[in-house]
Amino acid sequence: MSAPTIERTTAGTTGQGGHVVRDGAFGHARALKCRECGTEAELGPHYACLECFGPLEIAYDFPTVTREQIEAGPRNIWRYKALLPVPDDIETSPNTEPGFTRLLRANNLGAALGIEKLWVKDDSTNPTNSFKDRVVACALSAARELGSTVFACPSTGNLANAVAAAGARAGIRTVVFIPSNLEQPKQVNSAVFTDSLVAVDGNYDDVNKLASEIAGEEDGWAFVNVNVRPYYAEGSKTLGYEIAEQLGWRLPDQIVIPVASGSQLTKVHKAFQELIALGLVEDKPYKVYGAQATGCSPVSVAYKTGGDAIRPVKPDTIAKSLAIGNPADGIYVLDICRSTGGAVEDITDQQVREAIVLLARTEGVFTETAGGTTVGVLKKLVETGQLDPTLETVVINTGHGLKTLDAVATGPGAVSAAATIAPNYGAFKAAGIA
Ligand SMILES: *Cc1c(COP(=O)(O)O)cnc(C)c1O
Ligand SMILES: [Zn+2]
């Protein structure tokens, strides 16, 4: 039995509550680095730069990584562990093992939208049915290595589901905070895993502020998207790695990604850049598009008005998992979409509903309102000439429709039984189905 070989030592780093962090706790991560001014900080439970308050990101000393090494790994995100801030023995700690979800060739949806080569990356099949299991798995590893005693989050729903489930499996206490007006299925999907689901009378931005306050007061709490956010955010890179690997180690020409805080979009872009830098894919241009619902579209508004700043909004949309009025990574989304030649676009709640049904009836994939937003924005981008339908395109479905049933079960255009009939052939013929 040989010990994991990691050149970098993190010995002596202090975690939470005086916990001493072990060697190799964060894999090949070197430091926390400010996205704004580049100042580096020691790896720990920190998220804001002490010089300029900018967001901290993980900086690495990557080893040589080959396609063969990755392909020989497990069919989950840990096949990319050398590129994540996790220890080499990560697979031995109980976790939900998310990732390696289907990349579906979507010929029917493509035909409906007039797109020649379209793929759906279907992240609704993760353990708690959203892409959040990826980020939470990375945050859980950080919490464990930092000696945290409570695993927590403010959430628009899916994150709370993922945190509660991952904590249960890991045997760590969880406390999750949500806006009290959240869809009932998402509340149940958290409450079933934890006895500490806290519903807060306020919107997500209020819940987030409360979480920051608690994180500052209570020692030992790891808020996945607050004080361990740098580690959490890295989990979204695995979406980008998988898309490239599943395309046969190449990048798509265009990709459409939903935007809540904007973290996922910025990290998929970071993943593509890392794959190029590591020589795992060929360098080529690609366009990144962001999708929002009109009722919470601060990034789309900034994009369209040509501004560089994001003006916070009060969300009012059925796409609750995207309802962040003051998106932390909004300015970086703007920058990436502009510099790659993509765009940010938004659609109405009714268009979100219609896109959920369109995806379901063309590809057999039931998405939640976030995926409806993304597919609906893809449709609008083609219709408005902002996206080239002859180029290879990937659209990300980030969550499952069973969590937002009401979006298509009620309201205009609601789906339901085509007929309710007596159990005999005459009644069936009379219903006009055959
Ligand atoms: C959280 C979430 C997103 C977006 O996440 P950000 O990284 O905050 O932009 C997209 N889709 C679903 C279903 C989500 O739960
Ligand atoms: Zn800084």
Side-chain angles (χ1 to χ4, degrees):
M1 296 279 282
S2 64
T5 50
I6 289 170
E7 305 84 2
R8 176 78 202 169
T9 172
T10 45
T13 303
T14 310
Q16 294 195 294
H19 176 84
V20 176
V21 175
R22 68 171 170 144
D23 266 17
F26 306 110
H28 301 283
R30 180 185 75 238
L32 293 167
K33 187 173 180 180
C34 176
R35 176 137 194 178
E36 289 297 325
C37 75
T39 299
E40 292 198 358
E42 168 182 89
L43 292 160
H46 323 299
Y47 59 105
C49 176
L50 289 176
E51 300 296 323
C52 76
F53 301 107
L56 297 175
E57 277 194 318
I58 310 281
Y60 298 87
D61 288 325
F62 284 134
T64 304
V65 180
T66 66
R67 294 176 180 177
E68 292 70 29
Q69 278 167 0
I70 291 171
E71 287 164 359
R75 294 184 65 81
N76 57 52
I77 62 170
W78 305 132
R79 68 202 278 109
Y80 308 107
K81 67 183 176 185
L83 309 177
L84 298 169
V86 300
D88 195 50
D89 61 1
I90 180 69
E91 292 135 281
T92 62
S93 309
N95 69 90
T96 64
E97 300 172 17
F100 224 69
T101 56
R102 310 178 296 176
L103 181 71
L104 296 168
R105 181 69 193 260
N107 287 336
N108 299 332
L109 179 62
L113 301 180
I115 300 172
E116 283 170 27
K117 214 171 189 188
L118 179 64
W119 302 87
V120 174
K121 177 60 173 170
D122 185 14
D123 241 23
S124 69
T125 60
N126 271 313
T128 69
N129 302 105
S130 88
F131 101 96
K132 290 294 198 304
D133 292 311
R134 297 175 184 274
V135 280
V136 165
C138 292
L140 174 65
S141 176
R144 225 182 320 230
E145 299 299 337
L146 291 166
S148 312
T149 50
V150 181
F151 198 45
C153 68
S155 171
T156 56
N158 285 317
L159 185 58
N161 298 172
V163 164
R169 178 147 173 74
I172 295 179
R173 182 175 176 225
T174 56
V175 182
V176 298
F177 300 83
I178 53 163
S180 57
N181 73 349
L182 201 63
E183 300 101 329
Q184 201 239 2
K186 282 194 185 145
Q187 299 207 25
V188 175
N189 265 298
S190 287
V192 76
F193 298 119
T194 181
D195 61 5
S196 299
L197 167 68
V198 182
V200 179
D201 288 325
N203 61 30
Y204 174 78
D205 299 282
D206 300 320
V207 181
N208 194 34
K209 238 170 73 200
L210 171 63
S212 299
E213 207 181 318
I214 298 170
E217 295 290 332
E218 304 285 332
D219 199 22
W221 287 52
F223 276 94
V224 302
N225 50 344
V226 182
N227 54 347
V228 293
R229 186 175 179 87
Y231 308 87
Y232 154 97
E234 290 294 289
S236 282
K237 292 193 307 185
T238 59
L239 261 171
Y241 299 149
E242 283 176 24
I243 289 166
E245 182 179 350
Q246 290 168 320
L247 285 174
W249 294 107
R250 2 179 238 104
L251 303 180
D253 298 320
Q254 308 177 128
I255 185 162
V256 188
I257 306 172
V259 173
S261 73
S263 175
Q264 178 183 154
L265 186 145
T266 62
K267 293 297 174 171
V268 169
H269 174 64
K270 188 179 186 215
F272 287 174
Q273 293 299 308
E274 287 177 353
L275 291 178
I276 292 169
L278 289 162
L280 289 165
V281 299
E282 220 168 275
D283 193 0
K284 62 167 274 209
Y286 57 86
K287 296 179 181 180
V288 181
Y289 294 86
Q292 297 205 296
T294 306
C296 182
S297 52
V299 187
S300 178
V301 166
Y303 174 80
K304 290 174 183 177
T305 53
D308 287 326
I310 307 287
R311 284 187 47 188
V313 300
K314 236 181 140 129
D316 179 16
T317 170
I318 58 167
K320 292 189 198 293
S321 54
L322 301 182
I324 297 183
N326 190 11
D329 293 311
I331 51 168
Y332 305 120
V333 169
L334 271 184
D335 185 43
I336 290 166
C337 293
R338 282 179 178 146
S339 65
T340 62
V344 189
E345 188 51 277
D346 59 272
I347 55 166
T348 66
D349 283 1
Q350 187 52 28
Q351 289 171 317
V352 171
R353 291 190 176 94
E354 287 164 10
I356 292 173
V357 177
L358 175 66
L359 177 64
R361 293 191 176 176
T362 52
E363 298 299 343
V365 173
F366 188 14
T367 184
E368 69 147 84
T369 46
T373 302
T374 316
V375 170
V377 161
L378 170 64
K379 180 169 186 277
K380 185 169 177 183
L381 289 168
V382 176
E383 287 168 357
T384 54
Q386 298 180 83
L387 181 137
D388 185 342
T390 66
L391 298 180
E392 183 168 49
T393 305
V394 174
V395 60
I396 301 183
N397 170 31
T398 47
H400 204 291
L402 288 173
K403 294 197 198 186
T404 60
L405 268 184
D406 278 354
V408 287
T410 62
V415 295
S416 64
T420 303
I421 61 169
N424 64 69
Y425 185 66
F428 168 66
K429 285 308 273 184
I433 303 254

